[in-house]
Amino acid sequence: MRRSDLALALLAVVIALALFVVVRGERRVTAAYLVPVEAVLPPRAPPIDALPAEVTVAVNGPWARLRVLDPATLGPVRIDVTRAGGGQVAWRARAEALHVPHGLRVESITPAQGTIDLRRDAR
């Protein structure tokens, strides 16, 4: 094999590897991450044990971006029940409250909603 043929073959392999990395990195996939939950309670409300400690967040986007995504940057998921009165209160985890990097989107949050029994302190 001549030297010029070897150089062309090596160049072809480098181009093929570069194309593989680019195409593989742009493939859209979905990944699930565990994100902690933080409750925002009204004044003098007792702590709530009924909320989940964490939720599963499914994020969709290019494989290359999801591969380097740190789940700690997504949350915590804040559940605000400060405007609620006492008794049964419905809560909902909202995707807009998460810090999702550009090019990625939240597909689902599990569990996304529920109810809690919120009783104010009588003091």
Side-chain angles (χ1 to χ4, degrees), residues 1 8-9 13 16-17 23 28 39 41 48 55 61 67 73 81 88 95 99-100 105 109 113 119-121:
M1 192 180 246
L8 284 175
V13 168
L17 285 173
V23 170
R28 296 191 72 82
L41 302 173
I48 298 175
V55 292
R67 187 173 53 101
T73 62
V81 291
Q88 289 285 331
H99 305 289
V100 182
R105 70 180 177 88
I109 300 175
Q113 60 188 7
R119 300 192 192 285
R120 293 184 188 261
D121 241 355

Side-chain angles (χ1 to χ4, degrees), residues 1-11:
M1 192 180 246
R2 291 185 301 190
R3 182 178 240 174
S4 62
D5 291 342
L6 184 60
L8 284 175
L10 184 60
L11 180 63

Side-chain angles (χ1 to χ4, degrees), residues 57-70:
V57 178
V59 180
N60 183 290
W63 174 81
R65 288 183 188 244
L66 288 175
R67 187 173 53 101
V68 296
L69 178 64
D70 181 15

Side-chain angles (χ1 to χ4, degrees), residues 1-84:
M1 192 180 246
R2 291 185 301 190
R3 182 178 240 174
S4 62
D5 291 342
L6 184 60
L8 284 175
L10 184 60
L11 180 63
V13 168
V14 168
I15 291 172
L17 285 173
L19 283 173
F20 174 77
V21 168
V22 168
V23 170
R24 174 112 169 124
E26 290 302 313
R27 189 180 85 215
R28 296 191 72 82
V29 296
T30 300
Y33 301 97
L34 290 175
V35 179
V37 171
E38 179 181 289
V40 182
L41 302 173
R44 296 188 341 206
I48 298 175
D49 293 332
L51 285 175
E54 55 193 15
V55 292
T56 302
V57 178
V59 180
N60 183 290
W63 174 81
R65 288 183 188 244
L66 288 175
R67 187 173 53 101
V68 296
L69 178 64
D70 181 15
T73 62
L74 291 175
V77 174
R78 287 188 173 83
I79 297 177
D80 187 357
V81 291
T82 56
R83 294 185 180 156

